[in-house]
Amino acid sequence: MKKQAVRPATAATRPAAVSVKKFGGEAVIPGNIVVRQRGTKWHPGLNIGMGKDHTLFATAEGKVQFTHKANGRTYVNVVPAAMAEAAE
């Protein structure tokens, strides 16, 4: 009888790709992941939702915008396309 190879429990696995996925000014549609993070380095703002693993995702179509508030937090917003064009 032939023995099957067993992967050791200590075998290296690919680490999670935790980073910003969509940068400021990039267009997004609802459901697009904007930031994958551990903890809340970035906080959800306008038109952004947060998953149970702190992933930030778009809830509306528009452009990504990062803002800094007086409380020291960085907020991620999705500015609707109509508002983004009017501001330019």
Side-chain angles (χ1 to χ4, degrees):
M1 202 174 214
K2 190 175 181 182
K3 285 188 175 182
Q4 280 189 332
V6 177
R7 174 190 260 188
T10 59
T13 58
R14 186 171 178 267
V18 178
S19 63
V20 176
K21 304 298 182 185
K22 298 285 186 179
F23 294 91
E26 284 194 60
V28 293
I29 59 172
N32 278 158
I33 293 175
V34 181
V35 177
R36 298 267 304 166
Q37 60 183 345
R38 296 291 175 259
T40 51
K41 181 174 181 178
W42 295 282
H43 294 268
L46 180 68
N47 297 319
I48 292 284
M50 185 164 65
K52 67 180 183 178
D53 64 348
H54 300 114
T55 295
L56 301 182
F57 57 90
T59 59
E61 189 172 345
K63 293 192 181 226
V64 176
Q65 179 185 52
F66 290 83
T67 56
H68 300 280
K69 299 282 181 147
N71 60 9
R73 291 181 176 182
T74 301
Y75 289 87
V76 182
N77 303 298
V78 172
V79 181
M83 287 179 65
E85 290 173 7
E88 291 178 353

